[in-house]
Amino acid sequence: MTQAGRQGSPRNSSGRNSAGQNSAQGSGRGAQGGSGRSGGAGFKGGGDRPFKRPKPREEAFIDPDLQGPDGTPAASRPAASGDWKSKPPSGKEAARKAAARKPGSGKAPGSPGALKPKPRTGAAKFAGPRAFGSERFGQNLGPVRKPARKRGPRAEVPQSEVHDQDGTRLQKVMASAGVASRRVCEEMIAEGRVEVDGQVVTELGVRVDPKTAVIHVDGLRIQLDENMVYMVFNKPKGVVSTMEDPDGRPCVSDFVRNHHGERLFHVGRLDVATEGLLLLTNDGELANRLTHPSYEVPKTYLVQVRGPFPQGIGAELKAGVELEDGIASVDSFKLVDSTPGHVLIEVVLHSGKNRIVRRLFDAVGFPVLRLVRVKVGPIGLGDQRQGSIRNLGKQEVGHLLASVGL
């Protein structure tokens, strides 16, 4: 190896300076000889980083709808009064232009080839805050669904007959019941969302008697009697649906001993082997209506039977099955889950006959392995654990009362 090579070696302490001199010399020779390997296009400035060629710039896409009359883009033209808009269209305007390009957009509604209007879903009947919107417990059941019952025309009663001179202001009664703040209650009254004894009230000065008045907000009944109790019990298997049992078996009273001692009614019955929702209340009128056949309160059950479950059985149950006490049927039938050897079915029916679900499935040749009632009217179990009791929220109570016309 020559002396110049040893000087340019990394092992030499003066290698840096020597390398710089060699690079400069090589650059000069490359300029003279035309090769330029050391200082050419392969390295930038003689450093260690490779030189990357710049990528060609891509032309920005220009929307034809955003161009001006002369074809120039909006960003390159200044805004001028009376001229086309320099700003890009907003979301609503862009959606309008996109809809205008659809075939049939210019045709009149209902004509052949015209666009079909979109259905309005979730439209609220009343705007503003809902009643009992600040509740911390209970389920939000949405708008009230009153039962379709034939009623005569409601007579027009003068609003002055609702007014009770010795009563309490309506907005104060509503606020005390937990509907909303007094100011929001005043807005509800002014918007015509409040009924007193079946009559819409819009005057803020109306006074009512809380003990006798029947008040509805957005169709939701307000329970003004604080002594009324409404509870949901998730009955386990093996518990008798009675308050006392002479044979000493577990009963409902064993789970409500810590309550204040009110006399409670269990709405309907569940046999010993059936689990699920059981309503408890001291409202006798509500209990009578929930169990009366004329109100047809729907009840939802989850039924487990052995599989496989052939097709056509659900249609047979909906059409009606002959039992020893007459023909019975289900209102709804849905297959929920299927595992090897077992099938889970959801049925809805309004009949309150004894052991009606078990007898229906026995009649079609599929005895029930497990039966759970998960819903009565608008009230559902949700994630409530077995053996527990919870109080209904005021909104749930209103929906329950409305379901039977109270």
Side-chain angles (χ1 to χ4, degrees):
M1 184 178 292
T2 63
Q3 183 176 1
R6 287 195 298 270
Q7 291 178 355
S9 174
R11 297 181 180 181
N12 196 332
S13 60
S14 61
R16 296 181 180 177
N17 297 333
S18 300
Q21 294 175 0
N22 295 339
S23 176
Q25 293 175 4
S27 177
R29 288 194 300 268
Q32 294 176 2
S35 61
R37 289 180 296 176
S38 300
F43 296 92
K44 184 179 180 181
D48 296 337
R49 292 180 299 175
F51 176 72
K52 294 184 179 179
R53 296 182 181 274
K55 295 182 179 180
R57 295 183 178 179
E58 298 181 359
E59 296 184 0
F61 173 75
I62 300 176
D63 191 348
D65 294 337
L66 304 182
Q67 290 183 340
D70 54 354
T72 58
S76 63
R77 287 179 55 92
S81 60
D83 200 357
W84 54 278
K85 296 182 179 180
S86 61
K87 296 182 179 180
S90 60
K92 293 183 179 180
E93 186 177 355
R96 179 180 58 80
K97 288 185 177 181
R101 291 193 291 266
K102 293 182 179 180
S105 59
K107 296 184 179 181
S111 60
L115 295 176
K116 295 183 180 180
K118 295 182 178 180
R120 297 180 61 185
T121 58
K125 183 179 179 181
F126 300 101
R130 59 183 178 87
F132 307 112
S134 60
E135 276 191 315
R136 296 185 179 181
F137 62 95
Q139 300 175 0
N140 180 12
L141 302 180
V144 176
R145 296 176 179 84
K146 292 186 177 181
R149 301 186 64 198
K150 296 182 180 180
R151 297 182 179 180
R154 187 174 60 186
E156 295 293 335
V157 181
Q159 191 160 303
S160 58
E161 295 188 7
V162 181
H163 181 74
D164 188 350
Q165 187 67 28
D166 299 329
T168 309
R169 288 187 179 273
L170 179 58
Q171 57 267 32
K172 184 178 180 180
V173 174
M174 294 169 56
S176 300
V179 175
S181 65
R182 190 175 299 187
R183 180 179 177 181
V184 175
C185 291
E186 292 177 355
E187 296 176 357
M188 292 179 174
I189 296 173
E191 294 172 358
R193 299 167 57 182
V194 183
E195 294 183 5
V196 179
D197 296 336
Q199 180 186 356
V200 177
V201 176
T202 57
E203 297 179 5
L204 299 181
V206 173
R207 293 176 177 269
V208 296
D209 184 3
K211 297 181 180 180
T212 59
V214 178
I215 303 175
H216 290 79
V217 180
D218 298 342
L220 195 70
R221 170 75 178 272
I222 300 175
Q223 182 55 263
L224 302 177
D225 191 351
E226 298 180 355
N227 296 323
M228 292 297 179
V229 179
Y230 306 91
M231 298 188 297
V232 172
F233 174 43
N234 189 354
K235 188 185 89 65
K237 183 179 180 180
V239 177
V240 184
S241 297
T242 57
M243 290 300 174
E244 296 180 359
D245 184 67
D247 298 332
R249 294 174 298 179
C251 57
V252 178
S253 61
D254 296 334
F255 296 85
V256 294
R257 286 176 178 174
N258 296 329
H259 206 63
H260 298 292
E262 296 91 347
R263 182 184 178 186
L264 300 177
F265 306 95
H266 51 86
V267 180
R269 297 175 66 93
L270 294 175
D271 57 67
V272 179
T274 302
E275 314 163 38
L277 190 150
L278 193 64
L279 291 173
L280 305 176
T281 181
N282 57 358
D283 190 341
E285 180 64 20
L286 174 64
N288 291 332
R289 293 199 180 195
L290 287 173
T291 54
H292 201 278
S294 62
Y295 290 93
E296 297 184 349
V297 179
K299 306 172 187 65
T300 306
Y301 295 85
L302 289 178
V303 188
Q304 188 181 50
V305 297
R306 294 195 182 277
F309 200 80
Q311 295 183 354
I313 301 297
E316 182 181 354
L317 290 173
K318 294 173 67 175
V321 179
E322 181 70 29
L323 301 178
E324 60 272 12
D325 53 352
I327 298 177
S329 62
V330 300
D331 302 334
S332 173
F333 179 95
K334 182 173 67 175
L335 182 64
V336 178
D337 192 14
S338 178
T339 57
H342 294 86
V343 177
L344 187 63
I345 302 168
E346 179 189 272
V347 295
V348 180
L349 68 164
H350 60 271
S351 176
K353 295 181 180 180
N354 186 29
R355 299 173 59 89
I356 183 63
V357 178
R358 294 183 182 273
R359 291 192 292 145
L360 279 172
F361 278 84
D362 286 341
V364 295
F366 287 87
V368 173
L369 301 178
R370 185 181 179 187
L371 182 61
V372 182
R373 184 161 69 185
V374 296
K375 195 173 183 180
V376 173
I379 308 301
L381 274 181
D383 56 354
Q384 183 177 345
R385 61 181 178 84
Q386 276 198 350
S388 63
I389 297 178
R390 72 173 181 91
N391 291 318
L392 289 179
K394 294 181 179 180
Q395 184 184 164
E396 292 177 303
V397 173
H399 278 268
L400 190 60
L401 294 171
S403 66
V404 291
L406 289 177

